[in-house]
Amino acid sequence: MMAPTTDNAGNTGDPGAARASLEALRAEIAKAVVGQDPAVTGLVVALLCRGHVLLEGVPGVAKTLLVRALAAALELDTKRVQFTPDLMPSDITGSLVYDARTAEFSFQPGPVFTNLLLADEINRTPPKTQSSLLEAMEERQVTVDGTARPLPEPFLVAATQNPVEYEGTYPLPEAQLDRFLLKLTIPLPSRQDEIDVLTRHASGFNPRDLRAAGVRPVAGPADLEAARAAVAKTTVSPEITAYVVDICRATRESPSLNLGASPRGATALLATARAWAWLTGRDYVIPDDVKALALPTLRHRVQLRPEAEMEGVTADSVINAILSHVPVPR
């Protein structure tokens, strides 16, 4: 029998050890980021499901720091791209560069060739550049000059956008929104959390130096692989499958929505519920797992009718109403 693999963080590929290591992420990231446990959990769920995350929050709520801290705690490579109106697709994917010494063109990889790509303010770049991420997100490869080049594993895109400033932005098309597994909202901190943030900065905390803040690798690629294998074995009963389908079908019939969740949305909800069930220590999914992940998995996959939006209805309120009306399996 083969021995469990060991990653650079010193962790084996055992599922039990993997769960303990991923649970330790919260405490490790909390050394740098205060009060964002739900977002940390969402990012871990996305990694387990091989999905991508859209982070929405006003500037200054530590979205960038959160992704950098996660990469440091998982000992993964990370790169950041600031999306601007003049950014070109090749600035992300890479391009062919002529080498005068060899008289040949060689491929120079772009920042997308990393484990965690932080796409900062993704809605500030035109659709042509936004679409350059579609192949990377869906196929986990980049095609340049007819040659497909695989991306590293694991690979996650964490894209950020500002929910209140729309001047000079290009809204993400529905097809690209649907490629994000989760949409996580990053709220303003509570009063006590904000006091803790200022106290840390007054004590010399430097958000650009995570090692000095004490953030250390507590998990690694071997843990992720073991965790993904365990999640794939998490049992889903026919009743839970039907419950997920009923929730998604109800979004398509809601009078407040122009667009409901597609079958891809239903598949995503089932996947995230399985990951959440495994993280909480179970090898089977219960209705509460589905409810816990319904908002972040579906909120960006539905589209409000203009009249409902004018009345103050939100995607979250519609999904919550659906969850309260769809019969829960016993």
Side-chain angles (χ1 to χ4, degrees):
M1 187 174 76
M2 293 181 63
T5 58
T6 304
D7 60 30
N8 294 333
N11 301 312
T12 65
D14 175 67
R19 183 188 286 118
S21 297
L22 293 178
E23 287 174 350
L25 278 176
R26 286 197 185 103
E28 202 64 24
I29 293 174
K31 295 177 182 178
V33 181
V34 177
Q36 296 293 358
D37 277 358
V40 174
T41 300
L43 286 165
V44 173
V45 166
L47 281 168
L48 291 178
C49 298
R50 291 181 169 87
H52 308 285
V53 176
L54 183 62
L55 300 170
E56 187 173 86
V58 299
V61 290
K63 299 186 293 295
T64 301
L65 180 60
L66 177 62
V67 175
R68 289 181 54 241
L70 176 69
L74 283 172
E75 204 169 31
L76 298 176
D77 182 45
T78 183
K79 290 186 173 68
R80 175 180 177 271
V81 178
Q82 180 66 50
F83 279 66
T84 56
D86 60 347
L87 197 71
M88 299 295 292
S90 59
D91 295 330
I92 300 169
T93 61
S95 59
L96 294 174
V97 177
Y98 182 73
D99 189 339
R101 292 173 299 178
T102 61
E104 294 180 349
F105 285 92
S106 61
F107 178 68
Q108 295 298 316
V112 75
F113 286 86
T114 186
N115 297 126
L116 268 68
L117 176 67
L118 177 61
D120 222 349
E121 294 189 293
I122 190 174
N123 57 338
R124 287 206 171 277
T125 200
K128 180 179 179 180
T129 305
Q130 290 176 3
S131 65
S132 67
L133 279 175
L134 281 175
E135 182 187 14
M137 293 170 68
E138 189 68 19
E139 307 296 335
R140 298 179 183 275
Q141 67 178 25
V142 168
T143 302
V144 176
D145 197 32
T147 302
R149 294 173 170 83
L151 295 172
E153 182 61 39
F155 174 68
L156 179 145
V157 174
T160 72
Q161 64 179 15
N162 182 347
V164 295
E165 187 180 354
Y166 295 108
E167 186 176 349
T169 63
Y170 303 83
L172 295 176
E174 300 303 325
Q176 185 157 10
L177 280 174
D178 207 32
R179 294 309 195 278
F180 287 99
L181 181 73
L182 300 171
K183 179 182 177 181
L184 305 175
T185 56
I186 311 297
L188 289 166
S190 66
R191 181 176 182 272
Q192 186 56 53
D193 284 344
E194 196 163 0
I195 289 173
D196 291 344
V197 170
L198 267 63
T199 301
R200 290 187 182 192
H201 279 265
S203 301
F205 170 70
N206 182 1
R208 296 172 183 81
D209 189 354
L210 295 178
R211 187 166 291 276
V215 179
R216 298 289 184 270
V218 294
D223 291 307
L224 280 175
E225 282 306 311
R228 286 169 172 176
V231 169
K233 297 176 182 176
T234 302
T235 303
V236 181
S237 68
E239 292 79 11
I240 293 294
T241 302
Y243 182 51
V244 170
V245 169
D246 289 343
I247 290 171
C248 291
R249 290 182 69 85
T251 65
R252 301 168 205 161
E253 299 166 0
S254 171
S256 298
L257 299 177
N258 263 334
L259 180 69
S262 68
R264 180 188 284 146
T267 303
L269 181 54
L270 185 63
T272 56
R274 292 177 84 182
W276 176 245
W278 181 82
L279 278 173
T280 53
R282 278 178 284 101
D283 60 358
Y284 57 91
V285 180
I286 62 175
D288 283 349
D289 299 324
V290 178
K291 290 182 177 181
L293 272 300
L295 284 179
T297 307
L298 300 180
R299 60 164 59 111
H300 57 298
R301 303 175 192 271
V302 300
Q303 188 180 83
L304 288 167
R305 292 185 183 277
E307 56 269 28
E309 199 166 2
M310 290 177 63
E311 293 172 1
V313 176
T314 64
D316 284 12
S317 65
V318 173
I319 295 169
N320 278 325
I322 288 170
L323 291 175
S324 65
H325 286 94
V326 173
V328 179
R330 302 296 179 187

